[in-house]
Amino acid sequence: MADLDEFSALNFEPKAWINRTCITRPPQEALERYLAEVEMRLHLTAEDVEASLQEQSRDALYRIPAAVQELSHVKGDLLSLKQGVHKQLQQLNINAAAAANSVTLLKEVDKVKGRMEAACTTLKEATELSQLFQSIEGVFASGDMQKIADMLATMRRSLKLVGNVPEFSGGLEKLQGLEERFLGLIEPKLAAALSQKNGERVQQLSGMLLGIQCYGTVEKLYNTARMAPLQAAWDGFDRGGQHPGGLAPPQDFPSWLPDFFEVILAATNSELRWCASVLPDLHPQLVLHLLLALFNNISRSFRSRLMSACAQGMQHSGQVLSVLVSLKDTAESFTRELQQNLAGVDAAELQQIAAAVYVPFESQVSRYGELQQPQISSQMSAIQVPHGQQDEIDTVLSVMQLSVPQGVQVVQEAQRWCYSVTGGTHLPTLLHLSDEALSHYVTSLQGVVTSLRSLALKSEGHSALDSRRLSRELSELGAADPGRDSASGEATMMEDPTLVVGLLNIAGALSAQLAALESSLHTAVLNLTDLIDQAIGSSQSQALTMVALRLQQPQGEALQMVQAVVQQAVAQEWRPLPQTMRKAATFQDSVNALVFDVLMDKVKAQLKDTHNLAVWAAQEPESGLSLPSFNAYPQLSVTAAGEYLMMLPQTLESLLTDSEEGMDTEWLDKVATGAAEMYSDEVQHIHNLSHHGTQQLLADIEYFCNVLAALGVALPAGLSTWQVALGWPLETFSSAAAEALESGSVNVSSLQKLADARHVQMTVAL
């Protein structure tokens, strides 16, 4: 009636099934009747399924005893089989033990058989060797070279087999004598064939020598035949610097060396092709050994010519480094081309040749510091440093500004030379040279600042610290540069001393560029780690560079030097240019002190000895007339100082246009604060104040404090106290002081000084 699989599905939906069944109902049949029939069919189907299940369950129960009995029979069969296998294994072990003695005996028999066969072979070889020794003289007499070679090869092989047989105890010495006789016969012929490049003859004769294992003789004769033209090409320079081919006019060594290497490359390619066709078994070893022998032979003269070329470069405008780099690049280019021509050759053999090419350069590379120092000194000396007492201030500042990047560029150029010459292995030497050169340059700038100080400052109100610094700088400069007249009495004062504020731009640029340079050098030192890793674990192409082979030297001096500076650079406190940075900091301090003193000079000139003015103790003039009273006006000295301070922002802004943002505000605050502290100190040294002097001082302080407030500068505690307390009447001074002290709005010591100046007896303890 229905598909039972549909009812057994996991996603069976009764409602959906009923709806589908109702849809398939015949149209003429009533729904109630149709559903009743469907229900009846479902009951009947369920009863059929139940009956089938009962029947199958009953059959399954009937089969269980039979299955259990069958399993028991199988278990018994397995046990019997296991026992049978165990018996067979025991029998097999018994048989193996019984046969062990027989196997041992068979092994001994086999050894005896082997010894007998060896003895038979030895007897045969001994018989043949004896015959060969007897007949070899006849073969020598016949002059048959091939037969002699074959017999000598057979005799050598037979002697190895015979061993220490008493009959042939002197056989090896006899054989060596015979081989020497044979070499005496064949060497002239092979040498002639090699010189004539007679491939067939060379192949025949060298095959005879290789047959008797005389590889060294073939190599020696080949090198002798091929070395002469190569050596002649090298010696051509001594005959007037001519082109290795002898056609070009005389040249200097740097121009001549590329032509020589071209000759060697051409000869190498030709010999590689010739050896590959004539002596394939010795290709390319013969060519490699020829090149190695050539560069070992010319190493001493190569070193001498290289030294002469560098000496000539030193004499011609200090071009020694460019000469050395040119020669070094030529050598490295040669090794790269040689590597391409010898593709597939073992890297170790190529490294031997490259090392032989580079060895003459190491004596000059090790002198890098000695060669670089004159160039750095010359370039640093060429930088124009002005004379502070002879040049206009605008010129001085302009020249100093231009000199800062020039000094840094000298070191950057030296760094490029260092990498070009040494590949970076002598970077520690460069750091030392650069530090010395830059520190000397900064010292010269320091001398300019010292000279400007004597021209820019008009007042004598410098602090003891400034005086000691100036004295020390003058003495240092006198020792460093005896020709500098830093204390000339004929020097004139500057028309506008505030122009020295431009030194702040120079000091800032110097500090910034030196910091950037030092950071760059620090990074370069840390990057030497990559250089070490590449050299030690380098590929074949990298290993043929001069720097890689230098770091792989057995002595390890270059590697140790590089590793030492890298370890130092890891430390946070390490500085690549320690002396320069210390002097740059001193230069910055000197510039700051000079600028501060110059900007304070007019203030000092107006406010100096303010405490000694007679107006403070003066009495009001007596008059019989009834005149109105007027408020006191600030004195001219105070207003002059105040007006100068009010104009200072505009002055600083115009002079510090190229400086960092906010520097003009920073210096305005410094100068205004310094002026406030100076005025406060002067005021508090007044010891006698009359009523008239008090009113005058109050007017001065009010004006000065208003100026400071306009500039956004906080008042010193002493000046603020005097500003407040000067307005107290004498009769209420003590009570007002008590209230101010209680509120904490006044400074105790300053208030006591004011009370003493006004001759007030305080009723409260201060």
Side-chain angles (χ1 to χ4, degrees):
M1 180 219 101
D3 188 1
L4 294 180
D5 292 338
E6 185 177 1
F7 289 94
S8 61
L10 296 177
N11 58 350
F12 175 74
E13 291 289 340
K15 293 181 180 180
W17 184 85
I18 294 173
N19 290 333
R20 289 196 302 273
T21 303
C22 291
I23 292 174
T24 59
R25 173 181 63 87
Q28 67 277 7
E29 189 173 358
L31 180 61
E32 292 81 0
R33 181 178 178 182
Y34 179 76
L35 291 176
E37 290 179 355
V38 169
E39 182 181 2
M40 179 61 69
R41 286 196 295 272
L42 288 175
H43 280 296
L44 293 175
T45 301
E47 290 176 356
D48 291 342
V49 170
E50 182 180 2
S52 177
L53 287 174
Q54 290 178 353
E55 182 179 358
Q56 291 180 5
S57 299
R58 185 171 55 253
D59 293 343
L61 290 174
Y62 288 156
R63 287 197 296 272
I64 288 175
V68 171
Q69 186 176 6
E70 185 67 21
L71 288 173
S72 178
H73 291 163
V74 172
K75 185 176 180 181
D77 293 342
L78 288 174
L79 182 61
S80 299
L81 180 61
K82 183 178 180 181
Q83 291 175 351
V85 170
H86 183 67
K87 291 180 180 179
Q88 292 295 330
L89 289 174
Q90 289 179 342
Q91 185 62 40
L92 182 62
N93 291 334
I94 293 172
N95 294 337
N101 294 332
S102 300
V103 171
T104 302
L105 181 60
L106 289 175
K107 288 181 178 180
E108 293 296 330
V109 171
D110 185 67
K111 290 180 180 179
V112 172
K113 177 184 175 183
R115 294 190 189 102
M116 293 176 67
E117 291 176 348
C120 180
T121 301
T122 301
L123 289 174
K124 291 181 180 179
E125 292 291 340
T127 302
E128 183 178 358
L129 181 60
S130 179
Q131 294 175 354
L132 289 174
F133 272 116
Q134 294 175 0
S135 61
I136 188 66
E137 292 296 334
V139 177
F140 266 104
S142 67
D144 189 344
M145 306 295 293
Q146 185 63 55
K147 189 172 182 180
I148 295 173
D150 294 339
M151 291 182 66
L152 291 175
T154 302
M155 293 170 69
R156 178 170 289 278
R157 185 175 59 254
S158 298
L159 280 174
K160 289 182 179 179
L161 293 175
V162 171
N164 296 324
V165 176
E167 183 181 353
F168 300 103
S169 59
L172 184 60
E173 289 77 6
K174 293 180 181 179
L175 177 62
Q176 291 176 349
L178 293 173
E179 288 178 345
E180 291 178 359
R181 286 176 59 189
F182 178 68
L183 292 177
L185 295 175
I186 198 173
E187 282 184 4
K189 298 180 179 180
L190 180 57
L194 286 170
S195 299
Q196 299 168 4
K197 288 193 174 183
N198 187 339
E200 182 178 356
R201 185 62 172 163
V202 168
Q203 193 173 29
Q204 178 186 10
L205 296 175
S206 61
M208 299 178 188
L209 290 175
L210 296 179
I212 60 174
Q213 300 180 2
C214 291
Y215 302 98
T217 302
V218 177
E219 180 181 331
K220 180 188 71 173
L221 295 174
Y222 175 81
N223 285 353
T224 302
R226 298 294 187 265
M227 184 66 71
L230 300 181
Q231 186 69 46
W234 175 259
D235 294 338
F237 181 79
D238 294 330
R239 293 192 296 269
Q242 294 183 349
H243 184 278
L247 301 178
Q251 307 173 68
D252 59 1
F253 186 64
S255 302
W256 178 88
L257 186 60
D259 297 333
F260 170 74
F261 281 142
E262 288 295 332
V263 171
I264 300 303
L265 286 173
T268 300
N269 294 334
S270 175
E271 291 302 318
L272 285 173
R273 292 190 296 269
W274 189 83
C275 288
S277 62
V278 176
L279 299 171
D281 294 338
L282 300 179
H283 173 271
Q285 281 70 27
L286 280 180
V287 180
L288 294 176
H289 294 166
L290 172 65
L291 291 173
L292 186 60
L294 170 65
F295 286 104
N296 286 334
N297 290 343
I298 68 175
S299 179
R300 178 176 296 180
S301 60
F302 199 146
R303 188 181 296 108
S304 176
R305 294 179 188 180
L306 187 61
M307 185 178 300
S308 299
C310 291
Q312 293 175 2
M314 185 75 76
Q315 296 173 0
H316 294 82
S317 302
Q319 298 298 318
V320 59
L321 293 179
S322 61
V323 170
L324 184 57
V325 170
S326 174
L327 292 168
K328 167 183 168 292
D329 292 343
T330 300
E332 290 189 333
S333 176
F334 168 73
T335 57
R336 285 193 299 269
E337 292 188 36
L338 187 64
Q339 180 186 8
Q340 295 175 0
N341 296 339
L342 295 172
V345 175
D346 184 62
E349 294 182 341
L350 287 176
Q351 286 180 358
Q352 288 182 347
I353 298 176
V357 175
Y358 296 150
V359 161
F361 289 88
E362 289 305 313
S363 60
Q364 297 302 317
V365 172
S366 63
R367 298 175 57 225
Y368 164 74
E370 178 184 342
L371 301 177
Q372 180 74 78
Q373 194 274 335
Q375 184 168 328
I376 291 183
S377 299
S378 174
Q379 292 175 338
M380 280 294 185
S381 300
I383 298 176
Q384 184 180 1
V385 177
H387 197 294
Q389 294 185 349
Q390 296 177 357
D391 300 328
E392 294 293 334
I393 181 63
D394 292 338
T395 303
V396 171
L397 296 179
S398 176
V399 173
M400 290 180 70
Q401 187 78 38
L402 292 175
S403 70
V404 171
Q406 293 174 358
V408 173
Q409 288 171 5
V410 169
V411 175
Q412 292 173 340
E413 181 182 353
Q415 184 179 359
R416 290 190 290 271
W417 281 118
C418 178
Y419 279 100
S420 298
V421 175
T422 72
T425 57
H426 285 63
L427 194 57
T429 304
L430 171 67
L431 296 180
H432 176 70
L433 295 176
S434 301
D435 195 22
E436 286 188 349
L438 286 175
S439 63
H440 183 75
Y441 163 72
V442 176
T443 299
S444 65
L445 296 183
Q446 181 73 44
V448 178
V449 173
T450 303
S451 299
L452 292 176
R453 173 178 285 276
S454 62
L455 299 178
L457 297 177
K458 298 178 182 179
S459 70
E460 297 296 329
H462 307 137
S463 66
L465 178 61
D466 294 335
S467 300
R468 289 195 299 271
R469 181 188 296 115
L470 177 58
S471 177
R472 183 176 65 253
E473 291 172 355
L474 288 172
S475 62
E476 290 178 354
L477 288 169
D481 187 359
R484 180 180 293 273
D485 185 11
S486 58
S488 174
E490 300 178 359
T492 59
M493 304 304 295
M494 291 183 187
E495 294 181 1
D496 186 6
T498 57
L499 292 177
V500 300
V501 173
L503 287 172
L504 293 174
N505 296 330
I506 298 172
L510 179 66
S511 298
Q513 295 197 37
L514 286 180
L517 175 63
E518 192 174 47
S519 176
S520 173
L521 292 174
H522 197 171
T523 302
V525 172
L526 293 177
N527 289 340
L528 291 178
T529 304
D530 299 333
L531 182 66
I532 296 172
D533 295 339
Q534 292 174 2
I536 296 178
S538 60
S539 64
Q540 179 174 339
S541 60
Q542 294 170 330
L544 293 185
T545 62
M546 195 175 295
V547 61
L549 293 177
R550 184 180 307 120
L551 292 175
Q552 294 175 5
Q553 288 178 353
Q555 297 83 359
E557 295 178 0
L559 181 61
Q560 291 175 6
M561 181 172 63
V562 172
Q563 289 176 334
V565 73
V566 169
Q567 292 176 357
Q568 294 175 2
V570 174
Q572 295 181 353
E573 65 277 5
W574 183 77
R575 305 295 296 269
L577 304 172
Q579 186 177 356
T580 299
M581 298 310 291
R582 285 195 299 270
K583 291 197 174 184
T586 302
F587 175 75
Q588 180 75 62
D589 293 341
S590 299
V591 169
N592 290 343
L594 174 58
V595 171
F596 181 79
D597 289 343
V598 168
L599 295 178
M600 282 289 294
D601 199 44
K602 289 185 179 181
V603 177
K604 292 178 180 180
Q606 296 296 333
L607 301 182
K608 183 180 179 182
D609 294 332
T610 296
H611 65 285
N612 289 330
L613 295 178
V615 68
W616 310 131
Q619 301 295 327
E620 294 185 12
E622 296 182 2
S623 175
L625 300 176
S626 178
L627 298 175
S629 60
F630 298 95
N631 292 331
Y633 290 94
Q635 298 181 85
L636 290 178
S637 60
V638 177
T639 56
E643 290 172 358
Y644 169 74
L645 291 176
M646 292 298 292
M647 291 296 295
L648 198 55
Q650 182 178 354
T651 303
L652 291 174
E653 184 178 358
S654 63
L655 294 174
L656 296 176
T657 53
D658 298 331
S659 61
E660 297 180 1
E661 183 178 358
M663 182 175 287
D664 53 345
T665 304
E666 176 186 350
W667 273 94
L668 175 62
D669 184 71
K670 286 182 180 180
V671 176
T673 301
E677 292 177 350
M678 176 189 175
Y679 188 56
S680 176
D681 185 65
E682 285 288 336
V683 165
Q684 293 184 73
H685 279 80
I686 298 174
H687 300 298
N688 187 13
L689 273 174
S690 64
H691 176 73
H692 176 72
T694 300
Q695 297 303 313
Q696 182 61 57
L697 182 58
L698 181 58
D700 292 349
I701 291 179
E702 287 287 351
Y703 171 81
F704 200 78
C705 290
N706 289 336
V707 172
L708 295 178
L711 296 176
V713 178
L715 298 178
L719 189 61
S720 175
T721 298
W722 278 55
Q723 180 189 17
V724 172
L726 280 172
W728 296 339
L730 291 176
E731 57 272 13
T732 61
F733 190 92
S734 294
S735 60
E739 293 178 3
L741 288 171
E742 185 177 356
S743 64
S745 60
V746 295
N747 180 267
V748 176
S749 61
S750 299
L751 184 60
Q752 182 64 61
K753 292 178 182 179
L754 178 57
D756 294 340
R758 297 186 67 181
H759 309 290
V760 176
Q761 187 66 34
M762 298 292 292
T763 59
V764 295
L766 296 180

